[in-house]
Amino acid sequence: MCSDQNHITGSISNHLENGQNDPICVAVTIDINDISDGALKVLKQIKPFWPINNVQFKIFTNGTTNKLIGCCIPKHNNNDEIPLGGEDNLNRYEVILIRIYGKNTEVLIDRQKEVENFKSLHRYGFAPKLLATFNNGLAYEYTDGKPLSKSDVYDEQIWRKIAQRMAEMHRDIDCVPLNEPVLWKKINKFFDLIPTKYSNPVTQQRREELLPPIHEIRAEFNRLYAVVSKIKSPVVFAHNDLLLGNILYDTSAEIVTFIDYEYADYNFQAFEIGNHFTEFAGMTDIDYTLYPPKEYQLDWLREYLTHYHKHDSSVVTDEYVHQLYADVNKFALVAHFFWLIWGHIQAEHSEIDYDFLEFASLRYNEYLAKRDAFLSL
């Protein structure tokens, strides 16, 4: 992670200012079994005046890719220890977040590009400040807010702010013709990373029980690609992973923030939105009946387009909204493919306690259930 490379192709890199936004590079590898020791070594570099003995740790999430912890000290210097408690109490603390990468996630994620995206998005006002990189993770400023629940995305006050924030991100970060969408290249790369045979025989057996052979899945994807690749969706700078846990809502400030930029890149506008809609089902107790109905989507898309086009009502016509609706749902099918392939790879490499093959199976079955209806739109 500690590298002298500061280059990223595309116009987003032009927004950086000669290294002034560069994080500190700390030559530390944090042991997942002794997080506090490694975290303190990183903190000593980025917060040398913190009273290290007073630091409290809070695990925010174990995630399906990484582990995220908060390093917290009371904002007011006194001898009274403030109970850490839940997120509602964190406004009494100064908090630094430390994200530790999951094992072998570099096969899926370009970590150097993630760092450059993080810095650039901060410059544009879409991300907190990145404070440090270390050998197997990042340290950055804390952002107020709670991850969304499955019901939050149906709260009109919240979903309108999500649509607005996404539109601002897609609109305000310039995209030039040279910025090719990452989607097809990434999916082909993921297909190539699927093991021909899993190293764990139990995993191999489970894969055979839950899913058809890879050559059948690839053939199905090729049929989908033949249709969806013809869609003329605009290319934007996209987050590409707007699941519920990557969207924070600050109730007091009524602000939505997107976090975690591992998959951020130039991509199709309709994929970003369709992928977000598939995530309404959640990552635990997955429930695809929560995929948003047409009426909800049309309202959401109109809100998005209104902000994307800076409230130019002459542009945002009913025909435009309905066309985006059709494109979004077709790209939602691609999103299912993207993550079911990802699940195959994680099943081989990840040490996180999550059933990646069941996840892949649920994604594939949902794709099959919705395929004909969505492709007919």
Side-chain angles (χ1 to χ4, degrees), residues 288 291 336 361-371:
Y288 283 114
Y291 187 81
H336 285 309
S361 176
L362 289 169
R363 283 280 191 170
Y364 192 59
N365 290 335
E366 178 65 9
Y367 160 79
L368 293 174
K370 297 290 174 50
R371 176 189 59 193

Side-chain angles (χ1 to χ4, degrees), residues 99-251:
R99 178 149 56 90
I100 304 158
Y101 300 146
K103 182 182 178 182
N104 295 325
T105 52
E106 67 277 3
V107 302
L108 293 163
I109 300 162
D110 183 338
R111 293 302 185 182
Q112 185 59 39
K113 188 169 187 179
E114 178 192 9
V115 168
E116 297 302 334
N117 286 342
F118 207 128
K119 294 190 294 184
S120 298
L121 286 165
H122 173 67
R123 287 288 186 181
Y124 278 100
F126 291 100
K129 186 175 182 180
L130 180 62
L131 301 173
T133 64
F134 51 95
N135 295 337
N136 61 330
L138 307 171
Y140 50 97
E141 293 177 335
Y142 172 75
T143 301
D144 286 326
K146 292 182 179 180
L148 298 187
S149 69
K150 293 174 183 176
S151 60
D152 287 336
V153 284
Y154 282 98
D155 182 321
E156 184 173 356
Q157 182 176 6
I158 297 176
W159 70 249
R160 287 191 183 277
K161 291 187 181 297
I162 296 170
Q164 294 165 16
R165 191 60 172 166
M166 190 189 296
E168 291 164 357
M169 181 175 175
H170 292 173
R171 181 193 69 203
D172 294 345
I173 299 179
D174 294 334
C175 188
V176 297
L178 292 177
N179 298 131
E180 295 183 2
V182 72
L183 184 61
W184 309 129
K185 183 189 300 183
K186 182 75 77 172
I187 287 177
N188 284 323
K189 177 184 176 182
F190 280 11
F191 264 123
D192 291 340
L193 289 171
I194 296 175
T196 55
K197 189 172 184 179
Y198 287 92
S199 57
N200 186 327
V202 175
T203 304
Q204 178 65 28
Q205 181 178 354
R206 183 163 174 76
R207 194 250 168 263
E208 294 170 0
E209 292 171 351
L210 288 174
L211 289 143
I214 290 300
H215 72 269
E216 290 185 17
I217 292 178
R218 187 184 278 270
E220 182 63 40
F221 171 74
N222 290 340
R223 288 189 286 270
L224 176 64
Y225 173 79
V227 177
V228 179
S229 62
K230 296 176 183 178
I231 297 174
K232 303 299 182 183
S233 179
V235 176
V236 298
F237 190 81
H239 183 285
N240 292 319
D241 189 20
L242 285 176
L243 48 80
L244 304 184
N246 283 343
I247 304 174
L248 304 182
Y249 183 62
D250 183 344
T251 54

Side-chain angles (χ1 to χ4, degrees), residues 36-63:
S36 58
D37 180 67
L40 289 175
K41 291 177 181 176
V42 175
L43 284 176
K44 286 177 182 177
Q45 297 297 316
I46 59 178
K47 292 290 182 180
F49 300 108
W50 267 26
I52 292 298
N53 292 336
N54 292 346
V55 173
Q56 299 180 57
F57 297 97
K58 178 177 179 60
I59 295 178
F60 282 85
T61 177
N62 288 320

Side-chain angles (χ1 to χ4, degrees), residues 25 27-28 54 86 88 110 161 227 232 236 309 314 325 337 356:
C25 181
V28 166
N54 292 346
D88 291 340
D110 183 338
K161 291 187 181 297
V227 177
K232 303 299 182 183
V236 298
H309 291 288
S314 65
Y325 166 76
F337 256 101
F356 291 101

Side-chain angles (χ1 to χ4, degrees), residues 241-312:
D241 189 20
L242 285 176
L243 48 80
L244 304 184
N246 283 343
I247 304 174
L248 304 182
Y249 183 62
D250 183 344
T251 54
S252 59
E254 298 183 348
I255 293 173
V256 160
T257 304
F258 302 154
I259 62 171
D260 290 356
Y261 319 103
E262 296 174 309
Y263 298 94
D265 210 328
Y266 292 96
N267 211 347
F268 298 109
Q269 178 190 62
F271 175 84
E272 175 92 302
I273 300 171
N275 181 68
H276 173 57
F277 287 168
T278 69
E279 299 294 354
F280 284 25
M283 288 294 290
T284 57
D285 299 321
I286 296 173
D287 180 3
Y288 283 114
T289 66
L290 296 176
Y291 187 81
K294 181 177 180 178
E295 295 74 16
Y296 173 101
Q297 288 193 44
L298 292 176
D299 288 342
W300 196 104
L301 294 171
R302 187 176 297 277
E303 184 74 18
Y304 169 89
L305 289 172
T306 297
H307 285 264
Y308 185 69
H309 291 288
K310 298 184 177 181
H311 298 272
D312 186 345

